[in-house]
Amino acid sequence: MMLFQRRSYRNFKRFREIVRVFTKYGFASFFRRFPLLERFNFPPVRKDILNNPPQVNLRMALEELGTTFIKIGQILSMRIDILSEDYCRELKKLQDDTTIVDSDQIREIVETELQGKIEEVFQEFDQVPLASASIAQVHRAVLKDGQKVAVKIQKPDVEKKVDADLEILTYFSGLADRLMIIPESISLGELVAEFKKNLLRETDFLYEAMNALKFRENFSGVEGVYIPNIVRKFSTRRVLTMELIEGVRVTRLRECHLENIDCPLLAQRGAMAVLKMIFEDGFFHVDPHPGNLMVKETTGELVFLDFGMVGALDSETRESMVKLLIAALGKDASRVVTLLEEDILLTPVRSPVALRMDLNEILERYITADLKEMNFNNLVTDFFYILRKNNLRFPAHLASMMRALVVAEGTGMMLDPDFTIAPYLEKFLKRVFTRSMGVDHLTRKAINFALDWKKLVEEFPGKSHDILTKLSSGRFSFKFESKEMEELNRKLDTISNRISLSIILAALLIGSSLIYTNYQYLKSLSILGILGYIVAAFLGIMLVFEMLRHR
């Protein structure tokens, strides 16, 4: 949908608000890169805002713009592959809008979604929310069978607001990519597509319910880790009903002074749980920070919460990451570069030697003989700094995986100041690698390999015969594809279209002028000349706008 269509007028007003807020916080230079906005007279920035670091101003701008932009900032805080540590650290401070929705509106949403009166579904329903965020708020309730539950309810009009903002961002990210407003190594269109995917999933509570059920299945036999149960019967896209956990948030654990709680053991369990999610299950919690973890008072189990954002890795990717991390822990910079080039990076390495030297430096600095002394967070931060320095793109889902490990280490350090994830990571990687060399795994690989060869042997004679037949009859052809040639053809098409439009425009102007000057006393013909001028003016405006847009 185009931004300036009649039915999107409300989006145009929202666009003006977005531009106003970002320019208020000193980001007018970004908008001046767009045609038609380059000469716009933006208001001056206040001195107190100019004195702030840019990352602080970015956080304040996102907070002022509300739900969508707060969530985008929180997603960006996880993208350590494209943002420096100071930006990621600042964006982690983004606070959700905790405005509580009126109980009558909440009742209306619940009754509409569950298709029944609250009194018919719940034995008790607390009108005062346990917690409130920008997308939803949570209420304590009791089902008719006596089960205590937490009911997560989406706030009114959240989807409409998110859709409107995403529509604006999609339009301008596409325009920014065409005009190459930011460096080629970053695609705004791809970033916005990622934001869109995550935000639409966060506003669909059935997606979160399915994630929670999958985690619960994966951890059904794991001691010390608990995943709350989902009440499917009373869960919809806008209402999520799940088991109420009676316990203490990890963030408040030390101040509560609970007896029989072993904090170092909890740190170890949390780290091992995240490692299991990533390297065994291939399905992991993207943000296992202390606010998303609780400890059950009765059993001391570690409870994971909030499953709206998850990551998934296939077996081949997990195997590549295991090899990469084993090579890194072994200080083998050459192998790290080889694995990055062959299996992981999205862009080619221009200078393998420079990359190897940079990686060798950080591996020597951080990988110590005693891994208990290693700071995994600093290692990952410097690793992504080197990738950005060399204009290399790391897959987003793998960046989320690395960040999950960093967050798991930070959570562990909150519980146990001496905690570091590196020893557990090494132990887990060795276990996974040993398992991959086991008879069952190798047998499966051998069977797949044999099936591939069987298919090749079966198809080879027929394919060979087809090729020889086409060669002998002169019908064999090669298809050559080149991105550079495609881009050149696209530019030539654009140029030819502009030339054609210019010729038509010139012909209209000359023809209209001849008609108007020679037949100005004949009303019917003079009107024809005026109409020619109008059409020429319209085509001229179109031509100028098109040239500015693809400049």
Side-chain angles (χ1 to χ4, degrees):
M1 185 187 295
M2 293 298 287
L3 185 67
F4 301 109
Q5 285 181 345
R6 186 180 301 172
R7 61 178 174 155
S8 296
Y9 179 66
R10 62 179 178 81
N11 289 3
F12 176 67
K13 291 193 289 186
R14 175 60 171 164
F15 164 68
R16 284 196 306 174
E17 183 186 2
I18 292 168
V19 173
R20 179 188 63 77
V21 170
F22 276 113
T23 53
K24 170 185 171 182
Y25 287 98
F27 296 101
S29 59
F30 174 77
F31 293 101
R32 285 200 177 98
R33 299 178 190 178
F34 288 90
L36 306 180
L37 293 179
E38 56 187 352
R39 299 188 183 280
F40 193 81
N41 188 23
F42 293 107
V45 182
R46 296 202 319 260
K47 285 186 179 180
D48 58 324
I49 291 175
L50 282 174
N51 292 333
N52 290 332
Q55 60 268 27
V56 173
N57 287 336
L58 178 60
R59 175 182 58 79
M60 291 193 295
L62 295 175
E63 281 180 338
E64 189 169 326
L65 285 168
T67 302
T68 307
F69 288 86
I70 289 171
K71 286 297 173 186
I72 285 173
Q74 290 170 345
I75 294 168
L76 276 174
S77 72
M78 304 177 196
R79 292 299 304 271
I80 50 180
D81 56 318
I82 58 174
L83 287 182
S84 59
E85 185 185 13
D86 51 352
Y87 273 89
C88 291
R89 193 187 308 117
E90 188 63 35
L91 292 178
K92 286 176 190 173
K93 300 176 185 176
L94 279 166
Q95 298 296 314
D96 278 331
D97 175 17
T98 56
T99 305
I100 295 173
V101 176
D102 180 74
S103 59
D104 291 336
Q105 289 180 286
I106 290 296
R107 170 181 282 270
E108 183 183 348
I109 293 168
V110 172
E111 291 181 347
T112 302
E113 290 294 312
L114 301 185
Q115 298 179 354
K117 297 287 185 183
I118 279 186
E119 293 77 15
E120 295 172 359
V121 178
F122 301 104
Q123 184 177 311
E124 297 176 20
F125 187 90
D126 196 343
Q127 301 293 335
V128 180
L130 287 170
S132 178
S134 55
I135 287 179
Q137 59 188 50
V138 181
H139 290 254
R140 186 196 305 266
V142 180
L143 295 175
K144 289 293 185 179
D145 62 3
Q147 182 185 358
K148 294 179 181 178
V149 293
V151 186
K152 183 177 178 180
I153 304 150
Q154 191 176 117
K155 292 183 175 180
D157 299 326
V158 163
E159 283 186 299
K160 289 181 183 177
K161 293 173 185 175
V162 169
D163 286 345
D165 286 342
L166 287 175
E167 187 178 299
I168 293 168
L169 290 172
T170 301
Y171 178 84
F172 274 92
S173 63
L175 185 59
D177 284 344
R178 287 198 299 272
L179 298 174
M180 292 183 287
I181 298 249
I182 60 174
E184 291 182 15
S185 57
I186 300 173
S187 168
L188 268 183
E190 289 180 14
L191 265 182
V192 171
E194 184 191 345
F195 299 153
K196 187 173 184 177
K197 179 188 73 175
N198 287 317
L199 283 168
L200 293 180
R201 286 177 176 178
E202 284 216 46
T203 55
D204 183 356
F205 293 168
L206 285 177
Y207 176 79
E208 183 175 351
M210 291 302 104
N211 291 340
L213 290 169
K214 187 169 178 62
F215 278 118
R216 185 173 172 83
E217 180 186 345
N218 291 344
F219 282 89
S220 57
V222 178
E223 183 185 359
V225 177
Y226 189 79
I227 308 295
N229 192 24
I230 300 295
V231 184
R232 298 193 219 187
K233 184 180 177 181
F234 302 120
S235 295
T236 69
R237 290 187 72 255
R238 299 180 67 201
V239 174
L240 177 64
T241 305
M242 64 192 301
E243 174 187 357
L244 180 68
I245 300 298
E246 295 181 335
V248 180
R249 295 267 181 183
V250 168
T251 49
R252 298 184 57 248
L253 200 57
R254 290 196 172 276
E255 62 187 67
C256 290
H257 305 293
L258 296 178
E259 296 180 4
N260 303 321
I261 297 296
D262 187 341
C263 286
L265 178 61
L266 286 174
Q268 179 183 334
R269 282 177 173 172
M272 294 301 286
V274 172
L275 290 169
K276 177 187 183 306
M277 291 176 190
I278 293 170
F279 296 109
E280 281 190 4
D281 305 330
F283 187 75
F284 61 96
H285 198 301
V286 167
D287 199 19
H289 66 78
N292 285 335
L293 297 171
M294 289 184 74
V295 178
K296 292 179 81 172
E297 292 183 23
T298 52
T299 61
E301 291 175 299
L302 188 66
V303 183
F304 282 82
L305 302 170
D306 194 356
F307 307 101
M309 289 182 63
V310 298
L313 301 173
D314 61 85
S315 57
E316 288 187 12
T317 305
R318 295 202 301 272
E319 191 173 323
S320 297
M321 288 305 298
V322 167
K323 292 176 185 175
L324 179 73
L325 289 168
I326 287 175
L329 292 175
K331 297 186 184 179
D332 191 345
S334 296
R335 181 152 174 77
V336 170
V337 172
T338 302
L339 289 166
L340 284 172
E341 276 191 292
E342 291 180 356
D343 299 336
I344 294 171
L345 292 177
L346 301 175
T347 48
V349 179
R350 294 178 182 175
S351 176
V353 175
L355 180 61
R356 186 174 69 247
M357 290 176 66
D358 287 340
L359 287 171
N360 187 65
E361 181 186 344
I362 66 166
L363 292 177
E364 289 293 339
R365 187 189 313 161
Y366 292 115
I367 307 294
T368 58
D370 185 0
L371 290 178
K372 291 181 181 178
E373 299 175 4
M374 174 183 150
N375 189 312
F376 188 74
N377 178 29
N378 290 346
L379 172 63
V380 172
T381 300
D382 281 6
F383 170 73
F384 282 111
Y385 167 75
I386 286 170
L387 293 188
R388 290 195 301 273
K389 173 186 168 186
N390 287 273
N391 292 317
L392 299 172
R393 287 180 60 201
F394 201 74
H397 60 291
L398 295 183
S400 298
M401 184 214 82
M402 297 290 276
R403 184 188 180 275
L405 292 173
V406 169
V407 173
E409 181 177 67
T411 303
M413 291 174 72
M414 176 179 282
L415 293 164
D416 176 12
D418 298 324
F419 178 83
T420 177
I421 201 171
Y424 301 100
L425 176 62
E426 184 186 40
K427 189 187 302 182
F428 211 94
L429 292 174
K430 286 179 178 178
R431 191 167 87 192
V432 171
F433 184 75
T434 304
R435 190 178 300 160
S436 71
M437 298 302 291
V439 175
D440 291 343
H441 186 79
L442 291 177
T443 301
R444 281 197 302 272
K445 281 206 163 188
I447 290 170
N448 291 333
F449 187 70
L451 289 172
D452 289 341
W453 268 99
K454 177 179 177 290
K455 184 179 178 183
L456 177 64
V457 170
E458 288 174 347
E459 293 181 353
F460 184 77
K463 298 284 186 185
S464 302
H465 181 266
D466 289 344
I467 291 171
L468 291 172
T469 302
K470 287 180 180 178
L471 279 171
S472 62
S473 62
R475 291 185 293 111
F476 192 82
S477 61
F478 287 96
K479 186 178 179 182
F480 176 75
E481 290 186 3
S482 169
K483 289 185 178 179
E484 289 79 8
M485 289 297 293
E486 286 178 10
E487 185 64 27
L488 180 61
N489 286 335
R490 200 177 297 117
K491 287 181 178 178
L492 288 172
D493 284 342
T494 303
I495 292 167
S496 62
N497 289 338
R498 287 179 186 171
I499 292 171
S500 301
L501 191 59
S502 301
I503 292 170
I504 294 169
L505 176 61
L508 272 171
L509 284 172
I510 294 168
S512 300
S513 299
L514 288 171
I515 291 170
Y516 187 76
T517 53
N518 292 322
Y519 302 100
Q520 57 182 315
Y521 300 109
L522 293 174
K523 189 174 181 181
S524 57
L525 289 176
S526 63
I527 290 174
L528 187 62
I530 293 169
L531 284 174
Y533 282 132
I534 293 170
V535 173
F538 176 72
L539 290 176
I541 292 168
M542 278 183 58
L543 181 61
V544 171
F545 182 75
E546 189 69 15
M547 290 172 68
L548 287 171
R549 196 162 65 93
H550 291 95
R551 192 176 53 176

